């Protein structure tokens, strides 16, 4: 098992966002967490990245190591977990190439960086054409590609994706998911959160369903897609 989460609780002041959730991700898998607005999807990813604190009693192991002992920067540089946040958070004044190389600041394998940069440009030719363009002037879809590229540059073990489909036109969405499939085939495990349940389950092998901070359903994508309650709640009947 790559990631094991037990009894994960997160609060923002008096607001309890996660009420003690359990889930696992195996090496090489693509797993999705599905849920409506405010269900706690982003919070789950932020807890793994250590960008928000987990409440006492929460347990998270990554490759047998206690994730809660690592600070956010070490989660990326030591453990190889990278996050593609909702809203992308790129450096708008820096170029595409600068955004990508900045993500590697903590890496020890300097000699591989150039190779990885070429890999990102091969996966996303649109970025290659825009190497010297400032990130702020990229289209929304191109910014999303750059955010994924940046995550690939910073850590390769586990990629956490927050709504990768958001704001993308259908054609770009296909490009994005094709690229993510290649990234997964090359050995990066993927955990993504999505509101678009159908899309997420087409892409992932397994899914968890989050409602109001609780996991209410889990299973293989093919099983969830046929579950009558799930269909009614998340697939429009
Ligand atoms: P969406 O699909 O709308 O992005 P989500 O499933 O990702 O939703 P979260 O962003 O994890 O949901 O939010 C879970 C709950 O925690 C929500 O009720 C939200 O209002 C609350 N919350 C999130 N961030 C904060 C914060 N910084 N301060 C206070 N409450 C927060």
């Amino acid at each position: 098992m790559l990631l094991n989460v037990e009894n994960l609780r997160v609060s923002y002041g008096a607001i309890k966002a996660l009420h003690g959730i359990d889930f696992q991700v195996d090496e090489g898998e693509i797993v999705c967490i599905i849920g409506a607005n405010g269900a706690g999807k982003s919070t789950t990813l932020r807890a793994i990245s250590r960008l928000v604190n987990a409440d006492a009693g929460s347990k998270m192991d990554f490759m047998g190591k206690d994730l809660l002992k690592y600070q956010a920067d070490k989660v990326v540089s030591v453990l190889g977990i990278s996050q593609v946040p909702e809203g992308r958070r790129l450096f708008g004044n820096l170029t595409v190439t600068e955004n990508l190389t900045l993500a590697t600041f903590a890496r020890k394998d300097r000699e591989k960086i150039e190779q990885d940069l070429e890999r990102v440009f091969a996966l996303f030719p649109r970025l290659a054409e825009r190497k010297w363009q400032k990130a702020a002037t990229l289209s929304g879809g191109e910014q999303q590609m750059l955010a994924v590229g940046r995550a690939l540059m910073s850590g390769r073990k586990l990629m956490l994706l927050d709504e990768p489909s958001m704001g993308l036109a259908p054609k770009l969405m296909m490009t994005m998911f094709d690229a993510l499939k290649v990234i997964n085939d090359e050995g990066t495990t993927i955990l993504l959160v999505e509101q678009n349940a159908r899309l997420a389950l087409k892409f992932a092998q397994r899914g968890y369903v989050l409602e109001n901070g609780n996991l209410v359903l889990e299973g293989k994508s093919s099983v969830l897609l046929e579950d009558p309650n799930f269909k009614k709640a998340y697939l429009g009947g």
Side-chain angles (χ1 to χ4, degrees):
M1 194 185 305
L2 190 68
L3 174 70
N4 183 37
V5 174
E6 284 175 35
N7 191 31
L8 175 61
R9 293 169 187 274
V10 175
S11 311
Y12 299 104
I15 297 168
K16 301 226 177 305
L18 294 176
H19 298 284
I21 63 170
D22 299 341
F23 64 95
Q24 293 81 39
V25 180
D26 280 330
E27 178 120 40
E29 273 194 306
I30 303 177
V31 175
C32 65
I33 299 177
I34 293 159
N37 282 123
K41 302 181 300 297
S42 301
T43 300
T44 305
L45 296 191
R46 277 191 231 125
I48 298 168
S49 300
R50 304 283 294 126
L51 296 170
V52 295
N53 274 325
D55 294 349
S58 306
K59 224 183 129 215
M60 288 195 286
D61 287 337
F62 182 75
M63 299 176 82
K65 297 188 175 94
D66 182 357
L67 199 51
L68 294 169
K69 293 211 170 109
Y70 290 79
Q71 290 188 334
D73 59 330
K74 297 286 186 278
V75 168
V76 183
S77 64
V78 178
L79 298 179
I81 300 178
S82 59
Q83 180 161 3
V84 182
E86 198 179 20
R88 298 156 195 137
R89 295 202 201 98
L90 301 165
F91 295 101
N93 273 328
L94 302 184
T95 66
V96 166
T97 305
E98 285 166 343
N99 268 281
L100 291 171
T101 42
L102 205 62
T104 65
F105 75 96
R107 274 176 58 171
K108 302 276 182 289
D109 55 343
R110 309 304 300 176
E111 68 288 348
K112 267 204 76 217
I113 289 175
E114 192 60 33
Q115 209 176 314
D116 285 350
L117 200 57
E118 289 314 313
R119 191 75 200 99
V120 170
F121 289 141
L123 277 171
F124 298 113
R126 282 175 89 114
L127 291 183
E129 292 161 14
R130 291 165 175 79
K131 277 182 196 179
W132 312 115
Q133 196 171 319
K134 291 208 166 145
T137 65
L138 296 173
S139 75
E142 290 159 1
Q143 289 189 17
Q144 187 72 315
M145 292 176 191
L146 181 53
V148 171
R150 189 180 54 174
L152 203 56
M153 297 295 292
S154 64
R156 290 185 155 253
K157 206 71 206 148
L158 173 66
M159 191 182 281
L160 308 173
L161 290 147
D162 198 337
E163 309 252 357
S165 75
M166 194 158 70
L168 297 187
K171 201 159 162 244
L172 267 192
M173 202 143 81
M174 296 303 291
T175 309
M176 173 61 74
F177 279 91
D178 286 348
L180 291 175
K181 188 80 192 66
V182 173
I183 290 168
N184 176 249
D185 285 343
E186 289 178 350
T188 301
T189 303
I190 292 181
L191 175 64
L192 79 153
V193 308
E194 264 289 344
Q195 274 192 57
N196 185 336
R198 199 181 297 276
L199 179 75
L201 289 173
K202 264 199 190 151
F203 176 62
Q205 290 123 19
R206 287 195 302 122
Y208 292 89
V209 181
L210 195 56
E211 276 180 14
N212 298 321
N214 293 298
L215 284 175
V216 294
L217 201 60
E218 63 179 88
K220 277 189 176 175
S221 299
S222 53
V223 176
L224 285 178
L225 284 166
E226 292 306 320
D227 182 293
N229 290 328
F230 180 79
K231 271 164 108 167
K232 208 154 95 192
Y234 291 96
L235 302 175

